[in-house]
Amino acid sequence: MSENAQKLYYPPEALVKNAAVPGMEAYQALVKQAEEDYEGYWANHARKLLDWHKPFSTVLDESDAPFFKWFADGELNVSYNCLDRQVNNGLGDKVAIIFEGDDGKVSKVTYKELLGKVCKMANALKSVGVKCGDRVVIYLPMSVEGIVAMQACARIGATHSVVFGGFSAQSLRDRLESSGAVALITSDGQFRGGKALPLKPIADEALSMGGCEAVKNVLVVKRTGGEVTMVAGRDQWVEEVMAQQPDTCEPEWVGAEHPLFLLYTSGSTGKPKGVQHSSGGYLLQAVLSMQYTFDIKPDDVFWCTADIGWVTGHTYIAYGPLASGATQVVFEGVPTYPDAGRFWQMIQNHKVSIFYTAPTAIRSLIKAADANEKVHPKNYDLSSLRIMGSVGEPINPAAWEWYHENVGGGRCPIVDTFWQTETGAHMITPMPGATPLLPGSCTLPFPGIQATVVDETGTEVPWGQGGILVVKRPWPSMIRTVWGDPERFKSSYYPADFQGKLYLAGDGAIRDAETGYFTITGRIDDVLNVSGHRMGTMEIESALVAHEKVAEAAVVGRPDDTTGEAIVAFVVLKGPRPTGDEAVATIKELAAWVGKEIGPIAKPKDIRFGENLPKTRSGKIMRRLLRQLAKGEEITQDTSTLENPAILDQLKG
Ligand code: WTA
């Protein structure tokens, strides 16, 4: 047996028996089916798992590659599939959402009630002139209303773009402008960690910056009761508009390719790109992965701790669980308030059976439990759990083992799900009732996904050899284009290096020599992953150089025990290089500035000043050296090609 094979964790018998994918043979059979009849495999699922208003007759259309189309002549409505379908199937009184506020207050919404709310919101949007095909930006905290707003857009065929509530006015403005939104749905504020934070004032600032004149209506949800200014003729309280609306609304039947949403995410260059998703293909994989990856069953209580501002909150809160008729927990607050036992307390209280969170949360809760015995998961009854998931970044084996042992009681499989905003749903992940688990590995591709590892020329490398992660065939829930920039879509995801034939994920990977299991080795571009949040180094650099004192900036990532990666910025000021108190004050000023330009998540953890940056004689910044300096490593290699080797000393931490 190989060293790795000895570390494998096998699924519990009881789980295998009733699993959607019961055992490795079942998994292999699905993989084989998809290989032998790729279109037939996806078409069967699409017919079985979704309700079509008009059935599709074509499956995959590759005529305009890489702009692939799936089920293109079929018609459906995503909100109908998530809500009406459940009510029609007798699930009207089933709880769809268990909402727990930051303050611990719990409220429950049934499928019937949710449908009524969504219809009212859909009618409210229509009443202010929002039409099928319009874009609506949603800037809301974790709330029932956030999900209702997304579903309401889907119901009338408006394309939503959710902006994470932690993003700044500038970031919100950029997304409003880029998407050409006609309406904005926001709230007075949000509660996090016992504090009321404003949102509407940030939205007002964004709207006043110019460039988003297309926004004619702002609908405001009341949450914190914080003070807001309502602009006459533009702003209205959602509750008031909804109160005048009927609670039924005929769904708008749209083509399967109709853009359900845009979600902005960071790339290696330029401004964040608007990843455009479809309706039919996207929903199909949201539902299928709820079955295969999470093995969702009628009695499960599902909890995904992501925010609706990220793709995980789209697929595994707003769409997947509802389209599966599941009961899910939606949480407004943070894992550490009122104490770091909050997640465990909530799993116990709501009898959560499937729990999906991020490695960064696990690592910070490990630290908290080490420091304070009282918030250790062993103090809670977590026996309701049967499956646990991880997403957003590689999970280190030590955190995996802790999660498995202390949260899952050693009995719950962990699905380490690798995927991206662009992929729409899980790409490489264990099947909980089949795949033997190897801590730190996301194991094998989702049935039907043809992922592999190649070298720079696009040639597959043997197992055991690291390379570039690619996907060989288009899949239903994939990105359709970059909103307003089809060229960028092609160059980012179907680069000429691979003759435009392979989807480039942007991550490196290596397959285990014996099992073929995938391990993601991290981004191969200039994208950082901080606490599972994607950020482009260029974006942060642009924000820094927009400050009046800054002449030049270079940003790199450094491994961090809790957040995965930490942002380190090397800055050259226009004035003299600051030292002592002046340096401390400038660091604070610049960090706050980046927080304001992008959002608090983009604040560098470490800012260092130099009179210059290490550059080659041709003026290229030597990022490799900066990465080493950021890590505190001694620079041992030859630096004679540097124009200014003396600068390295100034930039040491
Ligand atoms: C990283 C989040 C290792 C990866 C769903 C990817 C992961 C980026 C994993 C996408 C995982 C996500 N193991 N790395 N299980 N999941 N990543 O778009 O670098 O916010 O490219 O989507 O996160 O981040 P995004």
Side-chain angles (χ1 to χ4, degrees):
M1 219 195 272
S2 78
E3 200 187 312
N4 279 339
Q6 287 169 29
K7 280 189 281 177
L8 294 179
Y9 291 76
Y10 289 85
E13 267 317 303
L15 203 149
V16 179
K17 249 198 309 194
N18 297 311
V21 184
M24 276 317 265
E25 275 171 27
Y27 167 78
Q28 294 300 356
L30 290 169
V31 171
K32 194 156 162 256
Q33 252 178 45
E35 261 167 23
E36 286 171 355
D37 179 11
Y38 193 65
E39 292 192 26
Y41 170 84
W42 289 114
N44 284 342
H45 283 308
R47 286 194 196 99
K48 215 169 77 196
L49 298 177
L50 302 180
D51 274 13
W52 295 86
H53 181 66
K54 176 177 168 245
F56 54 88
S57 65
T58 60
V59 182
L60 169 61
D61 175 356
E62 302 187 78
S63 58
D64 188 24
F67 300 92
F68 303 105
K69 296 188 187 76
W70 284 90
F71 320 116
D73 64 345
E75 281 178 16
L76 80 172
N77 178 279
V78 168
S79 147
Y80 178 90
N81 270 277
C82 292
L83 304 170
D84 308 58
R85 188 160 61 141
Q86 318 306 355
V87 173
N88 298 344
N89 288 341
L91 297 181
D93 294 325
K94 181 171 179 176
V95 173
I97 297 174
I98 303 171
F99 175 75
E100 179 159 325
D102 186 62
D103 60 1
K105 243 177 95 187
V106 176
S107 53
K108 294 183 181 176
V109 186
T110 65
Y111 272 95
K112 202 160 65 196
E113 289 163 348
L114 191 61
L115 174 61
K117 282 176 192 280
V118 168
C119 287
K120 274 178 178 273
M121 179 80 90
N123 288 326
L125 286 169
K126 281 197 202 171
S127 78
V128 300
V130 177
K131 289 193 263 318
C132 182
D134 283 345
R135 271 82 56 215
V136 174
V137 164
I138 298 172
Y139 187 57
L140 282 173
M142 284 301 290
S143 53
V144 172
E145 289 77 9
I147 297 165
V148 168
M150 294 163 82
Q151 287 281 344
C153 287
R155 194 159 191 92
I156 64 170
T159 300
H160 61 67
S161 185
V162 183
V163 176
F164 174 58
F167 274 125
S168 67
Q170 180 70 47
S171 295
L172 175 60
R173 191 218 72 91
D174 292 349
R175 286 155 176 77
L176 285 165
E177 182 186 40
S178 164
S179 64
V182 301
L184 169 66
I185 308 176
T186 186
S187 69
D188 49 2
Q190 58 181 334
F191 288 113
R192 281 179 82 77
K195 282 191 239 98
L197 308 170
L199 276 183
K200 175 68 165 56
I202 300 174
D204 287 335
E205 196 189 334
L207 289 165
S208 71
M209 289 170 130
C212 24
E213 288 72 24
V215 179
K216 299 287 180 243
N217 285 280
V218 179
L219 297 177
V220 189
V221 174
K222 191 169 249 153
R223 176 60 183 144
T224 57
E227 206 179 309
V228 300
T229 326
M230 300 293 269
V231 175
R234 189 194 72 184
D235 305 354
Q236 298 184 73
W237 292 103
V238 167
E239 290 85 343
E240 287 173 14
V241 190
M242 279 170 69
Q244 298 157 18
Q245 300 298 328
D247 62 1
T248 57
C249 170
E250 189 57 26
E252 180 87 28
W253 306 109
V254 297
E257 283 296 310
H258 184 76
L260 177 63
F261 66 87
L262 310 178
L263 186 57
Y264 284 81
T265 191
S266 297
S268 43
T269 53
K271 293 242 178 228
K273 41 195 174 188
V275 171
Q276 179 180 320
H277 276 288
S278 70
S279 298
Y282 171 78
L283 193 65
L284 167 61
Q285 280 189 248
V287 183
L288 187 62
S289 54
M290 285 299 298
Q291 291 196 356
Y292 283 2
T293 314
F294 292 123
D295 193 40
I296 191 85
K297 294 285 188 299
D299 292 338
D300 274 315
V301 177
F302 180 81
W303 182 18
C304 165
T305 68
D307 192 285
I308 52 165
W310 312 113
V311 75
T312 308
H314 281 60
T315 310
Y316 299 106
I317 296 177
Y319 293 112
L322 297 178
S324 311
T327 295
Q328 70 172 324
V329 173
V330 172
F331 178 42
E332 178 183 40
V334 297
T336 48
Y337 177 82
D339 61 37
R342 184 69 182 264
F343 276 4
W344 323 134
Q345 182 75 55
M346 282 181 64
I347 292 172
Q348 172 179 305
N349 290 356
H350 303 303
K351 302 201 165 35
V352 172
S353 55
I354 307 174
F355 180 61
Y356 191 31
T357 195
T360 185
I362 297 164
R363 285 192 299 264
S364 71
L365 296 177
I366 295 175
K367 268 196 186 165
D370 284 349
N372 175 8
E373 183 83 349
K374 286 215 288 263
V375 297
H376 194 283
K378 71 181 176 208
N379 301 308
Y380 301 82
D381 176 6
L382 306 179
S383 59
S384 57
L385 285 173
R386 61 183 202 96
I387 292 165
M388 306 190 300
S390 170
V391 60
E393 53 180 315
I395 177 162
N396 49 306
W400 193 105
E401 304 271 3
W402 187 92
Y403 189 29
H404 188 255
E405 188 55 39
N406 296 291
V407 185
R411 69 180 190 279
C412 306
I414 297 177
V415 287
D416 176 1
T417 60
F418 168 83
W419 61 296
Q420 309 176 293
T421 305
E422 294 87 341
T423 68
H426 301 152
M427 296 300 277
I428 307 180
T429 174
M431 304 286 103
T435 322
L437 306 172
L438 176 65
S441 164
C442 50
T443 73
L444 296 168
F446 190 91
I449 298 299
Q450 302 191 354
T452 191
V453 183
V454 299
D455 64 17
E456 282 78 26
T457 67
T459 310
E460 282 186 56
V461 300
W463 292 3
Q465 192 177 313
I468 300 164
L469 181 66
V470 295
V471 186
K472 292 194 278 190
R473 298 218 63 188
W475 62 100
S477 68
M478 69 186 297
I479 174 176
R480 292 307 192 262
T481 188
V482 171
W483 179 255
D485 200 348
E487 280 311 312
R488 193 169 175 199
F489 166 73
K490 278 206 252 183
S491 60
S492 309
Y493 304 109
Y494 284 92
D497 316 10
F498 302 151
Q499 292 75 48
K501 296 244 180 293
L502 298 173
Y503 169 85
L504 177 71
D507 285 288
I510 182 166
R511 301 188 70 165
D512 179 78
E514 253 157 89
T515 55
Y517 278 13
F518 288 75
T519 291
I520 306 297
T521 50
R523 298 287 305 193
I524 51 172
D525 52 12
D526 292 321
V527 172
L528 304 182
N529 191 327
V530 182
S531 299
H533 299 153
R534 260 170 82 167
M535 257 162 310
T537 51
M538 282 261 300
E539 267 174 82
I540 306 168
E541 287 166 9
S542 307
L544 282 166
V545 294
H547 190 279
E548 55 178 12
K549 287 187 185 163
V550 177
E552 200 174 8
V555 167
V556 300
R558 167 179 80 200
D560 185 279
D561 279 352
T562 308
T563 57
E565 265 187 305
I567 302 168
V568 183
F570 297 92
V571 175
V572 183
L573 296 183
K574 288 176 183 160
R577 175 175 180 259
T579 51
D581 288 350
E582 200 198 336
V584 173
T586 316
I587 287 168
K588 245 177 128 176
E589 188 181 341
L590 292 182
W593 171 263
V594 174
K596 208 159 159 28
E597 284 285 293
I598 304 176
I601 50 171
K603 281 187 191 176
K605 189 166 183 183
D606 185 353
I607 298 181
R608 303 179 194 175
F609 299 104
E611 280 155 14
N612 203 339
L613 298 173
K615 290 178 187 154
T616 62
R617 295 218 170 91
S618 60
K620 205 167 136 25
I621 297 172
M622 301 275 286
R623 285 176 187 274
R624 185 174 42 87
L625 291 182
L626 290 177
R627 276 186 213 109
Q628 281 183 292
L629 287 172
K631 277 194 242 171
E633 286 173 7
E634 274 306 316
I635 309 280
T636 47
Q637 74 262 50
D638 182 17
T639 50
S640 59
T641 55
L642 276 187
E643 205 202 299
N644 46 2
I647 230 70
L648 296 178
D649 269 342
Q650 288 184 355
L651 297 172
K652 280 186 184 155

